[in-house]
Amino acid sequence: MVEQAERMRGLTSAIFSQVDELRQKETAAGRDVITLSIGSPDLPPASHIIAALQEAVLNPRNYGYTLTRGLPELLQAIAAWYQTKFNVSLDPSTEVHSLIGSQEGLAHISLCLVNPGDIVLVPDPGYPIYSAGPLTAGAQLHYMPLKPENQYLPDLTSIDESILRRTKLMIINYPNNPLAATATRDFFCQAVELAKRYGFVICHDFAYSELVFDGYKPDSFLSVPGAKEVGVEFHSLSKTYNMAGCRIGFVVGNSQVIGLLGRLKSNFDYGVFYPIQKAAIAALTGPQDCTIATAACYQRRRDIIVDGFTAIGWPVERPKASMYVWAPVPTRQSSFDFTIDLLKNTGVAVIPGVAFGQYGEGYVRLALVQPEDRLVEAVERIKKWLG
């Protein structure tokens, strides 16, 4: 028998695994399953990104180790992109670091900042890595409820001072996964003020900044005065440029935090494969029409689901950003039981809200990762089932 380490006890993917196993069983039995459970982009990268990757792959000199921080031209491209997009000035040599996907950085950041027993403030509902990373570092989690009556923002005034004095790290995420919620600039200002007062670091996951609809433009957390003194922002090319499988992202902001993460990474791994970095440079510095087209595609998909569900008596909010719809369970069931019944009766796979935390109970998350005709089909199947 292999005995697991204590740090593994808090890590679980049970609900995600259960849903996916059932989905695979339905598919193996010949069922046509419409998969809206996993948030994996189904769109390809733009042609100029693929061309840059192809060119670099064909060069036999591009197969050695690369710098952990990233190619200088990539770091400069990231800094220039941030300046153009969010009017945030960054020093490429100290305030930018490439990542093997933003999730890798989010997983490791707690190891740099947190000692066993320290408190990390995490959102509930929240993407699982926000809890898994701190747990691996031995942290004590304090969950910040994200409730609809507070526009899915943490109530920072409700956190007890005894908790705040022991806090080393706060993790936030807007536009949000799984809630598709957005944050106000005022909230970011409050978070910065709190972090300064109690001396903790803020990590903001900004992966969905470009998947925005109806003219909405989110603020970068780092654009708030004083944010760079207390925090960092994680970003990814996975959703913006449809490069999820390439595993490339970056972290920007506070130079001390980035220096610590860089030191940890230099002991853990090497840099991203050279051709993928070249593709990322092409993405960040090339024509940006592709990001506009991607956002427009997700907006059309959002409207199919929101309008379709509302028409059949299942009202859901119309999100301003992200690639998800957060929908209340329309039956008197738990989110897990509804998810299973939905899959078995309609062949539509979603994720129960409880997979993201206790405050996710009563909801399901739908990922808009299927073509429009498939989403129309999903609505029709659910309409027939709900009756």
Side-chain angles (χ1 to χ4, degrees), residues 35-100:
T35 302
L36 307 180
S37 50
I38 303 171
S40 179
D42 62 312
L43 302 171
S47 58
H48 67 278
I49 300 173
I50 295 174
L53 180 62
Q54 288 175 320
E55 182 180 353
V57 163
L58 292 174
N59 187 336
R61 293 178 295 180
N62 291 343
Y63 286 81
Y65 292 123
T66 59
L67 296 173
T68 305
R69 179 177 285 275
L71 296 173
E73 53 265 45
L74 173 60
L75 305 179
Q76 291 164 6
I78 292 167
W81 188 82
Y82 247 78
Q83 181 70 60
T84 300
K85 290 281 184 180
F86 311 112
N87 197 29
V88 172
S89 298
L90 297 166
D91 182 344
S93 63
T94 60
E95 297 178 333
V96 183
H97 203 297
S98 69
L99 299 169
I100 309 172

Side-chain angles (χ1 to χ4, degrees), residues 26 31-35 342-349 381:
E26 292 291 309
R31 186 74 176 273
D32 176 26
V33 175
I34 301 175
T35 302
L342 181 71
L343 178 58
K344 290 182 176 180
N345 287 282
T346 71
V348 177
R381 292 185 190 182

Side-chain angles (χ1 to χ4, degrees), residues 80-208:
W81 188 82
Y82 247 78
Q83 181 70 60
T84 300
K85 290 281 184 180
F86 311 112
N87 197 29
V88 172
S89 298
L90 297 166
D91 182 344
S93 63
T94 60
E95 297 178 333
V96 183
H97 203 297
S98 69
L99 299 169
I100 309 172
S102 59
Q103 179 160 315
E104 172 259 306
L106 287 161
H108 288 148
I109 193 68
S110 293
L111 294 174
C112 305
L113 302 171
V114 175
N115 290 316
D118 288 339
I119 289 178
V120 176
L121 306 177
V122 296
D124 181 358
Y127 188 56
I129 196 62
Y130 304 152
S131 297
L135 285 171
T136 303
Q140 179 181 333
L141 303 184
H142 178 81
Y143 290 102
M144 302 182 293
L146 306 184
K147 301 178 180 180
E149 58 265 32
N150 200 37
Q151 291 73 53
Y152 295 114
L153 296 171
D155 181 1
L156 301 180
T157 63
S158 70
I159 305 173
D160 192 89
E161 189 170 12
S162 63
I163 297 294
L164 292 169
R165 283 198 296 266
R166 294 174 53 207
T167 296
K168 289 293 185 68
L169 180 63
M170 172 193 281
I171 300 174
I172 52 178
N173 162 225
Y174 296 96
N176 186 277
N177 174 20
L179 304 172
T182 56
T184 62
R185 189 171 183 83
D186 182 59
F187 167 74
F188 285 151
C189 291
Q190 291 176 37
V192 169
E193 182 182 346
L194 197 68
K196 286 185 175 182
R197 189 184 315 158
Y198 290 97
F200 60 78
V201 172
I202 296 176
C203 291
H204 180 228
D205 182 2
F206 201 30
Y208 298 94

